[in-house]
Amino acid sequence: MNSPSEPASLDPTGTPAGQTPYSAWMRTDVLHSLQNPVSDHPGEHAWIAHVQVSELYWMLIVKELQTAQRQLRANNLGLAWRTLLRVVAHQEVLAANWRSIDWMTPNDLMAILSRAAATYGKDTALQGWTYRHMVYLLGIKQAEHLEHFTVQPERLAQLQQALVEPSLYDDLLAYFSRIGMAVPKAVLERDLSAPYVPSPAVEQLWRDIYAGPDINFQLQQIGETLADIAEGFSDWKYRHLMATRRTFGARPAYFGTEGVAWLVPTLDEIPFPELWSARTFIGNPPSGCPHMAKHKN
Ligand code: HEM
């Protein structure tokens, strides 16, 4: 008799009995058994599919970021860049995914949420560990969010590890240091679990990288791809905020405070801070205001 972990039988190519190669590989039977609505609202299917697709893509991005980190640690900047370009593409799917629940009014959302609360209790998306893992890898380290995972010890351990380990940005700065750039020791050896404090020296480093459009071209490409990733992250946050405004209004949310008021300040959480602050100083300003020159002529 087969043990529960063994497939019933294998054909010569390894496809379990009762499966096609496609269904075996993609686990379609399992995948499509994972949508269990709690309400009789017909739109709940779209809600569940939207959230589960987001979950899959956050995990995909976590894996891509970890791959890029390994490539940076092996000093392979080109491969890391290629991996990060894939992250930018995945983020577009996450942003477009909002479209499938744009039809929701507060009536629709409340019909679904009230049944979810009656079935499972009070929930918040802050209980989602994939998103938090991605955020930690992007360098936004906020330990307070761990409080939601005490009932999930394995997930808590996973996130605690991500909190104390280097983010993608830390690995890039370590790479910069290895190729001879002046990354301060205090930045490289700081407590990685604490929120990142922007450094004037790192800002200067980005200014140097962008000092001439044609020099340090590869490092500029990495910088631009990180800027794309930061923008993709912020785009998602903006779409989420507007979806909240549209379906929830000024209702109090999980913490009892107005949900929108809780979310608005998080829009300022933008990864890779010095890559942005350096832009004030990149590029030569014109010697005089062009409009004034026009008036003189
Ligand atoms: C459209 C209706 C939605 C409303 C009204 C809403 C509301 C909120 C609110 C008020 C918060 C702040 C924390 C809290 O009080 O719970 C929050 C956080 C969050 N929500 Fe939603 N949400 C909606 C849809 C979604 C969907 C569909 C997803 C996932 C695909 C999602 C993912 C998240 C995440 C990841 C956070 C944490 C954000 C952060 O840490 O900056 N939300 N949401």
Side-chain angles (χ1 to χ4, degrees):
M1 202 177 140
N2 295 304
S3 77
S5 58
E6 279 176 66
S9 74
L10 295 178
D11 78 7
T13 57
T15 304
Q19 298 281 330
T20 63
Y22 174 83
S23 71
W25 185 26
M26 293 301 146
R27 307 290 308 276
T28 46
D29 287 343
V30 177
L31 185 65
H32 296 300
S33 70
L34 298 178
Q35 294 77 36
N36 299 313
V38 291
S39 72
D40 53 11
H41 192 296
E44 190 184 344
H45 297 288
W47 172 266
I48 292 176
H50 170 99
V51 177
Q52 290 188 344
V53 166
S54 305
E55 282 284 337
L56 287 174
Y57 270 77
W58 287 329
M59 180 46 79
L60 175 59
I61 291 174
V62 164
K63 288 182 175 151
E64 300 279 30
L65 293 175
Q66 289 172 327
T67 300
Q69 288 181 291
R70 281 193 298 276
Q71 289 163 335
L72 284 171
R73 287 172 202 173
N75 297 320
N76 201 329
L77 187 73
L79 274 188
W81 180 56
R82 193 161 183 235
T83 304
L84 294 176
L85 287 176
R86 288 202 298 269
V87 173
V88 178
H90 304 327
Q91 285 176 312
E92 286 192 25
V93 178
L94 273 167
N97 193 23
W98 282 109
R99 184 69 192 91
S100 74
I101 55 167
D102 274 351
W103 52 268
M104 286 189 124
T105 66
N107 284 329
D108 298 311
L109 183 68
M110 293 309 137
I112 296 168
L113 287 191
S114 60
R115 287 306 310 147
T119 311
Y120 293 114
K122 193 177 165 193
D123 94 300
T124 164
L126 292 166
Q127 295 156 350
W129 52 268
T130 35
Y131 179 84
R132 197 56 53 198
H133 196 158
M134 177 186 74
V135 170
Y136 285 171
L137 289 178
L138 289 176
I140 299 171
K141 301 280 189 80
Q142 296 161 328
E144 65 272 21
H145 291 303
L146 293 179
E147 72 179 67
H148 296 287
F149 303 97
T150 47
V151 294
Q152 283 183 300
E154 272 182 43
R155 297 308 173 195
L156 180 63
Q158 173 188 338
L159 289 177
Q160 280 169 332
Q161 194 181 340
L163 186 75
V164 299
E165 285 185 351
S167 69
L168 171 71
Y169 198 46
D170 293 318
D171 274 308
L172 185 65
L173 295 180
Y175 172 81
F176 285 168
S177 168
R178 287 196 300 279
I179 61 171
M181 300 179 83
V183 184
K185 215 170 162 209
V187 172
L188 294 171
E189 294 177 2
R190 69 182 204 288
D191 172 9
L192 297 177
S193 67
Y196 183 81
V197 179
S199 143
V202 173
E203 182 187 275
Q204 182 60 49
L205 204 138
W206 283 114
R207 290 173 64 176
D208 294 343
I209 287 174
Y210 281 84
D214 301 328
I215 51 171
N216 296 321
F217 183 64
Q218 282 185 321
L219 298 183
Q220 288 188 32
Q221 271 184 325
I222 279 280
E224 289 309 281
T225 300
L226 288 192
D228 284 340
I229 290 174
E231 265 195 66
F233 180 67
S234 298
D235 282 349
W236 185 91
K237 278 181 159 295
Y238 176 73
R239 294 294 300 267
H240 173 261
L241 175 67
M242 292 311 285
T244 302
R245 287 198 161 114
R246 193 165 171 166
T247 56
F248 203 69
R251 286 177 162 88
Y254 185 75
F255 298 100
T257 50
E258 195 191 308
V260 170
W262 190 95
L263 289 169
V264 166
T266 74
L267 256 66
D268 281 335
E269 292 163 4
I270 302 176
F272 327 126
E274 299 95 336
L275 177 65
W276 296 97
S277 64
R279 278 157 203 263
T280 309
F281 311 101
I282 293 169
N284 290 326
S287 52
C289 170
H291 301 293
M292 292 300 287
K294 200 172 159 193
H295 285 302
K296 265 190 213 163
N297 292 337

